[in-house]
Amino acid sequence: MAATTLVILGASGDLTKRLLMPALYRLHALGLTRDLRIIGYAMEPWSRERFEQHIHKALQAFSPDYTPAQWNRFRRQLDYVGGQLQADQLLALKDKLDPTALFYLALPPPLFGVAARALGEAGFAKSPRNGWRRLVVEKPFGTDLASAQALRQTMHTHWDEQQILRIDHFLGKETTQNLMVFRFANRFIEPIWNAQHIAQVQITYAETLGVEKRAAYYDKAGALRDMLQNHLMQLFSLTAMAPLAEWDPEVLRNHKVEVLRSTVPITTANVNAHAVRGQYRAGQIGRKKVPGYRNEPGIARSSCTETFAALRLEIDNWRWRGVPFYLRSGKRLATNYSEIAVQFREVPGALPKAVQAGNNWMIFRIRPTEQMDLLVTAKRPGLELAGRPVVLTAPYASPEDREFSAYEQLLMDAIEGDRTHFLRFDEVEWAWKLLTPVLEAWQSGAPDFYAAGSDGPSTQKRLLDPGHAWRSIARNGDV
């Protein structure tokens, strides 16, 4: 790797200490970023030594691979500059940059546009002849369609679209990338990956956590903005997209956008048929009693912010017409559980009724374990010809496999200029086009309530076709 500078704006914040620095530390330990210089930039008037102390404590707390010897090597890569997000103060970075430089906005979302403009006014968006400049932006990219378009306009004042890398860390997860490999590398999958053979798709991301220390952000965002518009929409498009003619970042991103463009629009008039929102009340998770959302610190007693959101999406194309895609995510649910579950249609029956279980699923489990399950019907032992469900399980990784975090993957991609797992603006825009009518409809009225420790509000059932049932969160995906 050529000598490169990574500037982290917001280097004193939580994202930097919990995720970015542990990922960079491990990449350095693996010998992948030895020529990378890391400059922290934040408003705190710290010295380099003070910044090193801050990062040292963070790595001791959040990096399981921490060793004093490795830290002494890693710390030599670190530097720090204090200042505001203003062009004249950012110029203090000028003499510290290599010809190739990456600027990472580890900042609160309202500051994304401010930082991009200030960096541009300082001249850092212009790529040198012998190098490049890139800008990495965390989610969320806007809060609705209008704000996303305004943010794009601000960023494009100085930065080209090719320079902007929008991170959704779900795209760096091993299981997410395995979904693409499994779909397209196995010939027996493609002939059955369509409406003729698939009855429904369920994508679930369930959390037992409440808002924790994110009340100020979460009460303005809610579950739809926080999870579905970005993370689950990524899993939706990767599950539904057509095979690639060639492995190319732009071809892949074109296919994902095509899924969103083909999705039947939701209107404010039919929101109830396509979306459900909920908010948790007091309940019990395991043996622990937890308060309701409106009793959480920092949350208004009259808040109508949804902590659970579910969607029914339909794709109007040859491959998927007639197949409902159900997406849902919520806080204070029964377990921490995430999966993409695909149910196949029942076989036409010449076999005895006792054999036809009719419940074939292919499941990509994301957590608590990463594995693939295939639920099939086999003969029940005994004298009668009767069927029973059998689960064929393939763990994603073997004990000897080295695992990488999503941020390790995405940071390396950003440095190498691989845009495969980053969002292009038109993908962001189409996701907001689909969900903005839901947000507008939810500006009035109240969410449905559900007890903490449950599977969410009972009203989510209204999204389902006859004969369909949500897979149980409490029982880790059982129907």
Side-chain angles (χ1 to χ4, degrees):
M1 184 183 77
T4 300
T5 305
L6 169 62
V7 180
I8 303 176
L9 290 87
S12 61
D14 199 58
L15 174 64
T16 301
K17 73 179 184 181
R18 286 179 176 269
L19 296 171
L20 297 184
M21 280 301 176
L24 290 165
Y25 175 83
R26 188 168 188 221
L27 291 172
H28 179 271
L30 294 171
L32 299 175
T33 57
R34 296 289 170 84
D35 294 324
L36 181 70
R37 294 196 306 119
I38 304 166
I39 303 176
Y41 188 92
M43 66 176 68
E44 285 78 5
W46 288 348
S47 64
R48 174 176 179 169
E49 290 71 26
R50 174 68 183 85
F51 179 61
E52 284 187 9
Q53 292 171 8
H54 176 71
I55 299 305
H56 190 203
K57 290 180 180 178
L59 293 177
Q60 287 176 312
F62 301 113
S63 178
D65 299 332
Y66 171 82
T67 65
Q70 184 59 42
W71 160 248
N72 284 327
R73 290 188 289 269
F74 179 70
R75 68 190 298 180
R76 298 169 194 160
Q77 292 183 264
L78 302 179
D79 200 352
Y80 182 81
V81 173
Q84 302 292 325
L85 295 176
Q86 299 171 3
D88 59 338
Q89 297 192 36
L90 285 164
L91 283 171
L93 294 166
K94 185 175 181 180
D95 294 335
K96 295 177 177 289
L97 300 179
D98 289 298
T100 57
L102 186 70
F103 298 89
Y104 198 116
L105 305 188
L107 297 163
L111 297 180
F112 290 164
V114 175
R117 182 188 295 112
L119 288 166
E121 291 173 350
F124 295 148
K126 296 178 181 179
S127 298
R129 286 186 180 180
N130 59 338
W132 46 258
R133 297 284 188 265
R134 296 180 189 132
L135 186 70
V136 181
V137 187
E138 279 281 341
K139 75 141 185 114
F141 199 82
T143 58
D144 55 18
L145 179 59
S147 62
Q149 292 172 332
L151 181 56
R152 176 198 57 177
Q153 187 173 0
T154 299
M155 289 191 160
H156 282 186
T157 302
H158 297 284
W159 298 85
D160 294 335
E161 178 64 25
Q162 296 288 336
Q163 293 178 285
I164 300 172
L165 302 173
R166 298 176 187 85
I167 274 191
D168 185 324
H169 74 270
F170 265 46
L171 292 179
K173 287 182 175 290
E174 294 276 18
T175 314
T176 303
Q177 296 185 12
N178 183 49
L179 172 63
M180 289 188 291
V181 173
F182 186 79
R183 274 199 60 194
F184 302 136
N186 295 292
R187 189 177 181 89
F188 67 90
I189 291 294
E190 181 56 27
I192 61 171
W193 209 256
N194 53 56
Q196 183 177 355
H197 300 282
I198 292 175
Q200 62 165 314
V201 179
Q202 294 188 21
I203 302 175
T204 296
Y205 191 90
E207 298 180 277
T208 58
L209 289 175
V211 293
E212 308 310 309
K213 298 179 180 179
R214 302 172 68 218
Y217 159 75
Y218 195 88
D219 202 43
K220 294 179 180 178
L224 193 72
R225 288 187 176 97
D226 188 50
M227 289 298 301
L228 276 83
Q229 187 274 336
N230 38 73
H231 298 329
L232 269 65
M233 203 63 75
Q234 291 301 310
L235 300 181
F236 165 63
S237 59
L238 289 172
T239 303
M241 71 180 187
L244 310 183
E246 59 177 319
W247 188 257
D248 176 84
E250 295 310 312
V251 173
L252 171 64
R253 300 201 291 182
N254 288 343
H255 278 54
K256 290 168 64 185
V257 171
E258 187 60 33
V259 171
L260 301 179
R261 290 173 64 96
S262 301
T263 301
V264 178
I266 300 172
T267 67
T268 52
N270 68 4
V271 163
N272 283 342
H274 290 272
V276 166
R277 57 175 165 164
Q279 186 184 97
Y280 64 83
R281 284 180 165 162
Q284 185 167 321
I285 299 177
R287 297 181 179 180
K288 181 181 179 182
K289 292 183 178 181
V290 296
Y293 179 73
R294 295 180 181 183
N295 294 112
E296 297 275 18
I299 302 298
R301 296 296 180 265
S302 59
S303 175
C304 287
T305 298
E306 79 282 358
T307 61
F308 175 98
L311 293 174
R312 175 200 173 98
L313 300 178
E314 300 168 8
I315 303 172
D316 189 16
N317 63 18
W318 282 85
R319 179 181 292 269
W320 293 113
R321 179 177 288 183
V323 178
F325 285 74
Y326 306 116
L327 284 61
R328 61 175 174 168
S329 177
K331 291 189 172 295
R332 292 293 192 211
L333 296 175
T335 58
N336 290 312
Y337 187 76
S338 309
E339 68 174 20
I340 303 166
V342 178
Q343 185 183 32
F344 294 96
R345 298 190 184 278
E346 293 186 9
V347 296
L351 291 170
K353 187 175 182 180
V355 174
Q356 297 179 25
N359 201 21
N360 295 148
W361 291 85
M362 182 177 291
I363 306 152
F364 298 86
R365 300 187 188 269
I366 300 172
R367 65 173 189 168
T369 58
E370 294 184 336
Q371 65 187 49
M372 294 176 292
D373 289 346
L374 184 61
L375 182 61
V376 300
T377 299
K379 183 184 179 300
R380 184 185 302 278
L383 299 177
E384 296 181 1
L385 187 62
R388 68 171 179 177
V390 175
V391 180
L392 308 179
T393 297
Y396 170 71
S398 302
E400 65 272 13
D401 289 333
R402 179 176 302 216
E403 296 185 23
F404 293 91
S405 73
Y407 277 94
E408 289 164 22
Q409 172 74 66
L410 294 174
L411 282 165
M412 284 303 302
D413 287 348
I415 293 167
E416 295 173 354
D418 185 347
R419 297 185 297 276
T420 302
H421 305 303
F422 297 95
L423 279 66
R424 207 168 58 194
F425 179 74
D426 53 349
E427 184 177 354
V428 174
E429 186 174 40
W430 274 100
W432 279 124
K433 284 181 180 179
L434 288 171
L435 297 190
T436 293
V438 180
L439 292 170
E440 291 174 348
W442 286 357
Q443 287 178 359
S444 59
D448 303 315
F449 293 100
Y450 62 97
S454 68
D455 274 15
S458 60
T459 47
Q460 63 184 291
K461 295 178 182 178
R462 74 167 183 247
L463 303 180
L464 302 174
D465 279 356
H468 290 175
W470 286 108
R471 291 169 54 77
S472 172
I473 292 171
R475 296 195 301 275
N476 287 339
D478 292 342
V479 176

